[in-house]
Amino acid sequence: MKNRVRELREAQGWSQGELAEHLDVSRQTINAIETGKYDPSLPLAFKLARLFKQRIESMFEPDEGR
Amino acid sequence: MGRMDEWPAWQRWGIWLVGWVLYLGPFWLLFTTDSLALRLVALAVLCGGLLLLTYSSKAVLNERMRKIDRWQLYVVLPAMLVYMLLMLYVFPREAHIATPWLKALVALSPTLPLIFVAWAVVRYVNRCDEMERRQHLEAAGVAVIVVSLGSMALGFLGAAKLIALDGALVLLMVLPVLCVVYGLACTWSKWRNRAR
């Protein structure tokens, strides 16, 4: 799954640690999501979308190659 | 001072190394000295080392200590201290006890704090985030595979009379080996996903 989490986080001027604190997850979880190593669950994806005031489908896109 | 995970890398790694020294040094002392005072000092230093090691282990992976991490530490640390005291001062007494039920009670006493630690670990994993729970599941799977295959291999070698096995010792080693492999697998997984 491709996502725009890094782009949106950087636009807010947040570090991975700060985003992790907002979402109550570990920093490595944010890193794994941003690098595409881990796809978040629906509840976490909704939390991310709400935090960045985005629609889920505009943040996450299926990676057709995988 | 700020949070440890925000310190420069050399400071975080330096504290981590000091933590290991303060952990392993007293551990070695505990098994080599007979002096009660020295053993008590070693236990106190060991607890300090474990505290430092836990905080710095998080910091070297660029992770902050969360409320659940602190809870885990403050629950597990006293339980491990009780376990060590029982192993050092209560368990050896079973050799001098003749009454079977009392002997069994004394011999089983170190398992009580370990049951408490197991409960704390389950509670901690349930309060971790979703990716961490997956890491714990993978690590537990790796640990089960390694320990069960290792046990089976040892069993085959023992059955073939190629090695002599002490059954009690082998059973005693199951939990520590399981914990070490679980810890290594968890650390490897966290290291791969450490944030930069």
Side-chain angles (χ1 to χ4, degrees):
Chain A
M1 190 92 81
K2 287 181 198 162
N3 67 72
R4 295 171 51 222
V5 173
R6 185 186 295 267
E7 172 200 326
L8 293 165
R9 171 179 65 78
E10 285 174 350
Q12 294 282 339
W14 289 339
S15 66
Q16 288 183 337
E18 284 167 326
L19 178 56
E21 282 187 54
H22 280 292
L23 297 166
D24 196 26
V25 297
S26 61
R27 180 146 54 174
Q28 58 166 333
T29 300
I30 299 298
N31 190 54
I33 292 171
E34 285 186 355
T35 52
K37 287 181 191 165
Y38 177 70
D39 294 330
S41 65
L42 265 180
L44 183 54
F46 271 108
K47 268 173 112 175
L48 274 161
R50 275 201 205 102
L51 185 67
F52 290 122
K53 297 183 176 62
Q54 299 281 323
R55 292 168 64 86
I56 281 195
E57 56 268 38
S58 76
M59 286 186 70
F60 297 94
E61 190 185 317
D63 192 349
E64 303 299 341
R66 291 176 74 184
Chain B
M1 288 279 278
R3 278 183 358 203
M4 198 186 280
D5 61 303
E6 289 165 349
W7 291 5
W10 69 270
Q11 285 182 2
R12 287 182 276 132
W13 282 98
I15 291 285
W16 184 75
L17 283 174
V18 170
W20 270 112
V21 171
L22 292 180
Y23 176 64
L24 292 178
F27 205 83
W28 167 80
L29 195 63
L30 277 176
F31 292 100
T32 51
T33 181
D34 290 327
S35 157
L36 179 64
L38 259 179
R39 276 183 165 184
L40 290 177
V41 170
L43 270 177
V45 177
L46 190 141
C47 284
L50 205 56
L51 207 67
L52 204 58
L53 200 54
T54 311
Y55 269 90
S56 57
S57 296
K58 281 270 177 191
V60 294
L61 292 169
N62 299 311
E63 287 288 347
R64 69 192 194 281
M65 279 294 272
R66 295 164 299 177
K67 202 175 157 190
I68 53 163
D69 299 315
R70 277 191 291 274
W71 176 86
Q72 163 82 350
L73 181 62
Y74 297 141
V75 164
V76 168
L77 198 64
M80 290 311 289
L81 188 64
V82 170
Y83 169 73
M84 292 186 103
L85 287 170
L86 288 170
M87 280 302 286
L88 284 170
Y89 298 108
V90 178
F91 181 74
R93 301 268 174 252
E94 61 78 29
H96 311 289
I97 299 171
T99 322
W101 68 267
L102 191 59
K103 196 178 176 75
L105 201 68
V106 169
L108 289 174
S109 62
T111 57
L112 286 175
L114 293 182
I115 291 170
F116 183 70
V117 169
W119 166 79
V121 170
V122 171
R123 193 163 187 263
Y124 173 76
V125 172
N126 280 331
R127 291 164 82 189
C128 281
D129 72 44
E130 55 188 54
M131 198 191 79
E132 289 176 304
R133 282 202 294 271
R134 194 178 77 171
Q135 288 176 325
H136 284 288
L137 181 67
E138 285 172 357
V142 169
V144 166
I145 289 169
V146 169
V147 172
S148 53
L149 285 180
S151 305
M152 202 176 191
L154 276 178
F156 281 136
L157 293 173
K161 307 262 186 278
L162 287 168
I163 53 170
L165 294 170
D166 177 347
L169 185 67
V170 170
L171 284 175
L172 265 179
M173 292 312 291
V174 170
L175 185 62
V177 175
L178 205 64
C179 290
V180 168
V181 180
Y182 176 80
L184 286 175
C186 254
T187 306
W188 167 244
S189 184
K190 284 174 193 293
W191 180 256
R192 274 192 330 173
N193 289 311
R194 72 191 186 283
R196 291 174 189 88

